[in-house]
């Protein structure tokens, strides 16, 4: 497992990460996670990029395995079973999970295609991947307004918890990937639905299934 630049960012801000998410989303981040988690099947679930385990209470009676590459984040997680690892090299057998959940992770991956290949491998037939993440809003005008806003607001919010430089990374990462409607259009999994949430639709949820 190799370190990536974002790992160092999250290691440094681990104890302040959830607080800043609450501030930046006006407390809506958990509701956005729930909208995705509720669409996933029962059974064994992989929380991919689990971080501090914020989503763990949303999974109900599922058997959950939490995976993350940053030990400082995992140390704060309430998840019972924790595995250090990355999405591009999942340390699990083929067909090991009924569902995979991932929140605010895909922008930080080294390779989305490699991760989707691995997710497809570890999912059982009929299983599903649910993703919640950030993206620029649809439309050039809305995207320009959002870009200007995050350039100012995100580092300022980071400054409140002493992490302005780290959160400039978040602003830049919003332009790293194509819109989810294109990102998930041609993958080893079948795209079921994509929906937008939050002001200007800058948050998305997506569900993909394995045939």
């Amino acid at each position: 497992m190799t370190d990536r630049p974002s790992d160092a960012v999250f290691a440094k801000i681990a104890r302040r990460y959830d607080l800043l998410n609450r501030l930046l989303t006006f407390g809506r981040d958990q509701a956005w996670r729930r909208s995705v988690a509720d669409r996933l099947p029962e059974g064994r679930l992989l929380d991919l990029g689990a971080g501090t385990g914020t989503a763990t209470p949303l999974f109900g009676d599922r058997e959950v395995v939490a995976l993350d590459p940053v030990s400082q984040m995992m140390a704060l997680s309430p998840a019972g079973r924790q595995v250090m690892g990355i999405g591009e090299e999942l340390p699990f057998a083929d067909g090991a999970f009924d569902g995979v959940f991932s929140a605010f992770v895909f922008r930080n991956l080294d390779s989305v295609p490699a991760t989707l290949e691995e997710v497809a491998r570890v999912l059982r037939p009929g299983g599903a991947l649910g993703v919640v993440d950030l993206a620029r809003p649809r439309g050039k005008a809305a995207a320009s307004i959002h870009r200007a806003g995050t350039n100012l607001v995100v580092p300022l919010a980071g400054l409140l918890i002493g992490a302005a430089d780290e959160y400039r990374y978040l602003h830049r990462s919003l332009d790293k990937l194509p819109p989810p409607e294109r990102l998930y259009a041609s993958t080893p999994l079948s795209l079921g639905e994509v929906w937008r949430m939050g002001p200007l639709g800058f948050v998305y949820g997506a569900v993909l299934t394995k045939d």
Side-chain angles (χ1 to χ4, degrees), residues 33-112:
R33 291 185 184 93
R34 184 183 297 278
S35 75
V36 173
D38 286 350
R39 287 170 161 86
L40 294 177
E42 297 296 322
R44 195 165 189 243
L45 179 77
L46 173 63
D47 187 358
L48 173 61
T52 62
T54 306
T56 301
L58 306 177
F59 299 143
D61 295 330
R62 295 178 179 92
E63 178 191 351
V64 179
V65 178
L67 178 137
D68 201 274
V70 182
S71 60
Q72 291 88 342
M73 299 283 277
M74 294 282 276
L76 304 173
S77 173
R81 184 177 176 195
Q82 302 179 5
V83 177
M84 294 286 293
I86 59 175
E88 295 87 350
E89 299 176 17
L90 295 176
F92 307 108
D94 295 358
F97 296 96
D98 299 287
V100 176
F101 173 87
S102 185
F104 309 112
V105 169
F106 268 62
R107 288 170 297 107
N108 303 314
L109 296 170
D110 286 341
S111 173
V112 171

Side-chain angles (χ1 to χ4, degrees), residues 2-61:
T2 59
D3 292 335
R4 62 191 90 199
S6 59
D7 292 350
V9 171
F10 291 117
K12 185 173 181 179
I13 64 172
R15 293 190 175 276
R16 298 163 288 176
Y17 178 72
D18 290 330
L19 171 61
L20 193 51
N21 273 351
R22 296 289 186 275
L23 293 173
L24 290 172
T25 66
F26 303 101
R28 294 295 296 163
D29 58 308
Q30 196 72 329
W32 298 335
R33 291 185 184 93
R34 184 183 297 278
S35 75
V36 173
D38 286 350
R39 287 170 161 86
L40 294 177
E42 297 296 322
R44 195 165 189 243
L45 179 77
L46 173 63
D47 187 358
L48 173 61
T52 62
T54 306
T56 301
L58 306 177
F59 299 143
D61 295 330

